[in-house]
Amino acid sequence: MAQKIQGTEDLFGGYMRAWQHMQDVARELFGAYGFDMIETPAIEQVDTFVHGIGESTDVVRKEMFRVVSGALMENLLAAGSERGLKAKQRMAMRPEGTAGVVRSVVENNLVPQGAAPAKLWYAEAMFRGERPQKGRLRQFHQVGVEWLGAPDPAADAECIIMLMEFYKRLGFDPARLRLSINSMGDAACRPAYRQMVRDFILAHADEMCEDCLERAEINPLRSFDCKNDHCREVMAAAPLAKDNLCDDCRTHYEQVKRYLDAAGVAYVEDPTLVRGLDYYTRTVFEVEALDAGVGAIGGGGRYDGLVELEGGKPTPGIGFAVGFERIALALAAQGGSLETPEEGCVYVACASPEQRGAVFEATLALRQAGIRSEADYQGRSLKSQFKQADKCHARLCVVLGEEELARGFATLRDMESHEQVQVPLPELAPQVASRIA
Ligand code: HAM
């Protein structure tokens, strides 16, 4: 039997409806904040991710799925390395949405100088070659937003406020979520801070793991996230970004917090929150569902240098993404559910096979009127058609029998009360519509 790849999932039934529900909630809420939907290709040039996410990140170094066509694979195998490939031929599945959206904003000039900011949201599958476990998939789904061209700290605060409202509308109790925030500084103050952390790690080299020693050279801030408990103990004494911000970054961060306070959004400041993607500057944030055991259910931050890294003019940016699968797990762990009930339908039954043609016509008329309708396609008896109607959650059954049809009528049977009324055939669709409304 053919099997799906480990770390991937099929979305169908209630799970599919949950994903659609999440998108519906996003469309309504993000729409009110002025965001329009965007969809970028699932494959991009590797360089789009290397420039944006950062060459030294785990996502780029270890987790990106590379894409090679059959013909290219033959050339690659013959050449023994990808060195001969042109940039355009080096492709990868997107591990996240931000780099691709920013690439699209630059390529399509969506934020021309002096224009209004671009506010975009997406609901897409992402791909990361991680070791699959609960809440960690190789293909997962994110709803995310990217807001380009807004340097004001109010944009940071609005993003966070909108994110927390999103969780609330999905059914989370805000008291059981933890929002962590931090400022990572910018091009003016971060290089010196990075150097301080690097020096700190090297000064404690004999106490740190091999990975952290490598991180000291390529990405020292990631050592705050080391899985090794002892490294984290050592890092507890490392210099913190919040104590090493330049004046502009400090003022920006203070203003973001003031806006959050004014909006009544609860947060904790976590000075070790560094996030796993290199493009962040200033504000970063992450959300966890308490006692759910699935890790972060969302995160984001400001990325004022990313547009330039993707070849555009200096343009600030901020955004976030939330993971659908983790949200479904976290809500379930907290006793809730993302699933919406299956939509009810109207079942059109015939008393005997002679009325099959009339059923065909009545079903078409109902569907034309936008009413979700079902009928029998397997020659079932009337009794088993009623059973089938129950199975597909029909609230109403239209029964077409020889005698009613001869008089130009149909019988409407309420599946709950079993009450029956007769309606003239030309009025079938409006009568059904008003009864199920
Ligand atoms: P991220 O923190 O890498 O950020 O991912 C955002 C969310 O996607 C996570 O909080 C988690 O819920 C979900 N997620 C990540 N990896 C997996 C996985 N392997 N399996 C299941 N769910 C996962 C970003 O992706 C940034 N692009 C967010 C952003 C947008 N920053 C600015 N704009």
Side-chain angles (χ1 to χ4, degrees), residues 13-283:
Y15 202 36
M16 184 69 213
R17 282 197 301 280
W19 172 226
Q20 287 175 324
H21 173 63
M22 187 159 152
Q23 295 179 50
D24 291 343
V25 174
R27 187 170 295 109
E28 194 177 314
L29 175 64
F30 302 167
Y33 277 80
F35 286 80
D36 286 322
M37 202 170 187
I38 184 170
E39 181 161 332
T40 58
I43 52 174
E44 295 271 356
Q45 287 185 33
V46 164
D47 285 349
T48 300
F49 303 120
V50 172
H51 294 159
I53 299 168
E55 199 152 12
S56 63
T57 57
D58 282 354
V59 172
V60 163
R61 287 169 67 213
K62 302 180 189 161
E63 295 164 6
M64 219 161 48
F65 281 112
R66 308 287 287 256
V67 178
V68 183
S69 67
L72 208 54
M73 179 67 111
E74 280 178 15
N75 295 347
L76 264 177
L77 290 175
S81 96
E82 68 161 20
R83 230 169 279 145
L85 291 187
K86 298 190 185 92
K88 278 186 190 159
Q89 293 174 314
R90 286 188 284 120
M91 298 176 282
M93 308 290 294
R94 59 171 170 237
E96 57 100 57
T98 313
V101 169
V102 169
R103 190 270 311 140
S104 173
V105 165
V106 172
E107 195 169 342
N108 297 296
N109 195 23
L110 298 184
V111 192
Q113 293 299 296
K119 300 170 90 170
L120 304 161
W121 77 276
Y122 49 86
E124 291 169 343
M126 306 293 164
F127 308 85
R128 294 187 194 176
E130 302 197 72
R131 198 141 50 85
Q133 50 181 282
K134 187 179 164 203
R136 175 151 297 147
L137 293 153
R138 289 177 169 165
Q139 175 173 346
F140 57 100
H141 296 80
Q142 282 186 345
V143 161
V145 312
E146 311 299 345
W147 185 351
L148 280 306
D152 194 316
D156 308 42
E158 282 189 19
C159 263
I160 295 173
I161 292 164
M162 185 170 86
L163 172 64
M164 299 317 284
E165 175 65 22
F166 186 48
Y167 291 123
K168 204 160 125 192
R169 291 196 189 183
L170 291 176
F172 281 100
D173 172 0
R176 299 179 73 188
L177 296 177
R178 183 174 48 229
L179 163 67
S180 309
I181 64 167
N182 188 24
S183 174
M184 296 186 60
D186 65 3
C189 53
R190 200 168 36 190
Y193 172 62
R194 236 175 100 106
Q195 186 63 37
M196 284 167 80
V197 177
R198 178 179 174 273
D199 293 345
F200 176 89
I201 297 171
L202 294 180
H204 295 79
D206 51 343
E207 299 175 73
M208 307 291 283
C209 71
E210 286 291 313
D211 282 347
C212 279
L213 295 183
E214 194 188 334
R215 285 183 189 118
E217 298 307 330
I218 56 174
N219 201 347
L221 304 191
R222 294 300 302 160
S223 289
F224 284 110
D225 268 353
C226 184
K227 305 265 180 307
N228 183 315
D229 288 342
H230 187 64
C231 291
R232 280 212 309 278
E233 271 168 37
V234 176
M235 289 302 289
L240 296 173
K242 74 177 173 68
D243 301 324
N244 293 283
L245 297 177
C246 58
D247 287 347
D248 285 351
C249 284
R250 189 173 311 109
T251 310
H252 186 98
Y253 188 44
E254 292 305 322
Q255 189 58 47
V256 172
K257 287 189 283 180
R258 269 198 291 278
Y259 279 129
L260 292 179
D261 293 337
V265 169
Y267 56 86
V268 288
E269 287 185 71
D270 177 356
T272 66
L273 177 66
V274 288
R275 310 261 306 131
L277 312 158
D278 271 0
Y279 48 63
Y280 291 113
T281 53
R282 296 193 169 171
T283 317

